Amino acid sequence: MPGHASVRVALSASLAILLAACSGADGSPPVVTGEPPTDRVPIVIDADFDLSDIAAIALLLRDPAADVRAITIAGTGLVHCQTGRLMARYLLDELGSPDIPFGCGRQSGGTDAHPFPDAWRAAADAAYGLDIPPQAESGVPRDAVEVIRDAIDDSPSAPTIVTLGPLTNLEDAFTADETLADRVAAIHAMLGTIDAPGNVFVDDLDGDDPLEWNAYADPSAVTAVFGSSVPISIVPLDATDDVPVPPDLDDELEKDHQAGGADLVYELLVRNPDRLRPELGQQLWDELAALSVTDPDLVDWEDATVTVGPDGRLVADEAGKSIRFASSADRAAVEAALLDGLRRGQPRQTPFAVGGSIFVTFDGTSCSVTGASDQRGGQELRYEGPAGTPSGAAIFGIRPPHGWDEVLALLPTYQIEAPPPEWLVEGPIAQDSLGLGEAVIATGSLDEDLAGVVCFTGTWPDVAFTPGRAFAVGGGVIGPA
């Protein structure tokens, strides 16, 4: 498979490759309506604003080969409309694209819909910890169908719709105006699985069920869109399984996050370190979909003919829809393209800054804490432990009305494999896993008023805890206990 370390390809080549990706297996031209393509590919983004979506939107907004005409929010996905509109307004302002229109669709899917887990939706509705100031949206909140229709009408050539969530908004748009499908160049979707295990683990479902969340959330919408005449390419789990989130992505971005997209993603990783944990199965789902719009050689493409099952699974069927799907991805090339794409363009309007530096030293018996926590948000944890023994330190936020005394009472009996109580919120964790005794640095978010430090020795899950001390977040200098 050819690999590319950069998405900076010639525009003419990018467009030729993009159109070829939608062509038939015999190399015949794709079905593209409207005027001939312009120098930049007109794009409408439809997303449900998970962490992967936000990174993908940043990539597309700064991609010189992409002309983002509108953003719509899939209300049947993760974020609800109120927060989704605030996030859209915030992202567009932060990344220097305030004039791009946006809107939100309905928040209930069809009768066969499966809502995302409440905990996931709550995290999205909290904007993943982003400090979004109060802001007035531009005019009356708009409906996604209206935004999609106007974007297609106003596009200089037939646009490509890039979907990063459930397909509810597209179903509604094509139902409201039957001529829209004839004026869309293609649909490029992060959706489904062909041969890879599924990623839906609710009720009695597991990876043996070939189900992917964007399709499972609203299966009837997938059926409706696949029943249209629009050429469809999908980036399914088959390809995204090849590109896990690099566990050192935050470290790489810390070296250079001056550009707006890099800074935004760096902040989100600082605030949501679970995105970096390989054991949680985090992939570059929507990032790969965004990158492969204008650099399709990052993945291998194959043709398939499928129908949509009642639960959203894609089933091989010669009587179904002919689509193009990404069967695999070049991990090294994708990671390079991701960093290159995020580091394009100007800084964001309000750059992210780490708000405090907390120093923890541990000699095997005493867990000492000093430093300063001068604002909420990103905190740097610098840890140094004993040589010869794997060890580390973790900072936890403590939600009221709970206090440090409850943490001290919990530690002697706490089982590391059990989930922590809801009132204990994970912050930065620094681990000297090899026992080198050298300084280790980690960053993370602290959004509670009270936090505490716990040192540990051993390797997960066989660890022993030594409590440090509690401190007030944003309380200034942390002196010795």
Side-chain angles (χ1 to χ4, degrees), residues 164 213 474:
L164 309 176
W213 264 108

Side-chain angles (χ1 to χ4, degrees), residues 274-335:
D274 280 356
R275 180 82 171 129
L276 299 164
R277 293 173 60 182
E279 66 270 23
L280 296 182
Q282 296 290 299
Q283 313 292 330
L284 297 172
W285 295 293
D286 303 294
E287 294 94 335
L288 183 61
L291 290 167
S292 60
V293 172
T294 56
D295 195 356
D297 279 359
L298 291 170
V299 300
D300 276 341
W301 295 96
E302 296 184 25
D303 295 310
T305 306
V306 300
T307 55
V308 182
D311 51 7
R313 72 183 64 202
L314 303 181
V315 181
D317 186 339
E318 290 301 319
K321 173 80 172 182
S322 295
I323 64 169
R324 178 64 61 93
F325 74 95
S327 59
S328 61
D330 184 330
R331 180 174 178 176
V334 169
E335 290 181 4

Side-chain angles (χ1 to χ4, degrees), residues 191-207:
L191 184 87
T193 178
I194 303 296
D195 296 315
N199 69 349
V200 178
F201 298 88
V202 294
D203 300 326
D204 295 325
L205 299 172
D206 56 32

Side-chain angles (χ1 to χ4, degrees), residues 85-424:
R85 286 191 291 261
L86 290 174
M87 291 177 70
R89 176 76 281 153
Y90 179 72
L91 294 180
L92 292 170
D93 288 346
E94 287 289 288
L95 297 177
S97 302
D99 296 329
I100 292 176
F102 59 90
C104 190
R106 59 185 162 102
Q107 300 186 109
S108 297
T111 56
D112 56 357
H114 306 94
F116 281 82
D118 290 341
W120 297 5
R121 302 204 76 175
D125 287 338
Y128 300 102
L130 290 173
D131 185 16
I132 300 179
Q135 51 193 305
E137 296 177 23
S138 300
V140 177
R142 299 183 64 190
D143 180 73
V145 170
E146 174 192 350
V147 172
I148 291 172
R149 183 196 64 223
D150 290 351
I152 293 172
D153 288 344
D154 297 339
S155 180
S157 64
T160 293
I161 300 179
V162 178
T163 67
L164 309 176
L167 301 187
T168 313
N169 287 338
L170 266 66
E171 176 192 21
D172 290 349
F174 291 169
T175 299
D177 185 343
E178 294 180 355
T179 72
L180 289 184
D182 294 331
R183 293 184 279 135
V184 172
I187 293 169
H188 181 89
M190 193 281 118
L191 184 87
T193 178
I194 303 296
D195 296 315
N199 69 349
V200 178
F201 298 88
V202 294
D203 300 326
D204 295 325
L205 299 172
D206 56 32
D208 291 335
D209 298 284
L211 299 171
E212 181 275 327
W213 264 108
N214 286 344
Y216 183 68
D218 195 359
S220 59
V222 183
T223 300
V225 173
F226 274 50
S228 74
S229 61
V230 182
I232 294 176
S233 61
I234 65 171
V235 179
L237 299 181
D238 305 67
T240 62
D241 281 353
D242 291 340
V243 285
V245 176
D248 62 346
L249 182 57
D250 58 336
D251 295 332
E252 286 298 316
L253 289 175
E254 184 181 17
K255 298 173 185 176
D256 177 9
H257 57 98
Q258 182 176 4
D263 190 61
L264 179 67
V265 173
Y266 175 63
E267 177 180 358
L268 287 168
L269 293 175
V270 168
R271 295 183 180 277
N272 301 272
D274 280 356
R275 180 82 171 129
L276 299 164
R277 293 173 60 182
E279 66 270 23
L280 296 182
Q282 296 290 299
Q283 313 292 330
L284 297 172
W285 295 293
D286 303 294
E287 294 94 335
L288 183 61
L291 290 167
S292 60
V293 172
T294 56
D295 195 356
D297 279 359
L298 291 170
V299 300
D300 276 341
W301 295 96
E302 296 184 25
D303 295 310
T305 306
V306 300
T307 55
V308 182
D311 51 7
R313 72 183 64 202
L314 303 181
V315 181
D317 186 339
E318 290 301 319
K321 173 80 172 182
S322 295
I323 64 169
R324 178 64 61 93
F325 74 95
S327 59
S328 61
D330 184 330
R331 180 174 178 176
V334 169
E335 290 181 4
L338 174 68
L339 290 173
D340 185 59
L342 290 175
R343 287 171 173 159
R344 286 194 181 107
Q346 298 299 310
R348 61 193 279 200
Q349 184 171 306
T350 54
F352 174 66
V354 172
S357 295
I358 300 164
F359 305 94
V360 178
T361 57
F362 182 49
D363 60 9
T365 58
S366 177
C367 183
S368 176
V369 184
T370 59
S373 171
D374 55 15
Q375 70 179 51
R376 296 190 181 199
Q379 308 285 328
E380 180 183 80
L381 167 61
R382 183 181 295 268
Y383 169 77
E384 189 167 342
T389 303
S391 65
I395 303 179
F396 294 94
I398 304 169
R399 289 176 173 160
H402 302 278
W404 180 241
D405 57 335
E406 293 175 81
V407 177
L408 297 178
L410 174 68
L411 289 179
T413 59
Y414 180 61
Q415 300 295 316
I416 193 64
E417 294 179 311
E422 292 185 357
W423 53 269
L424 204 58

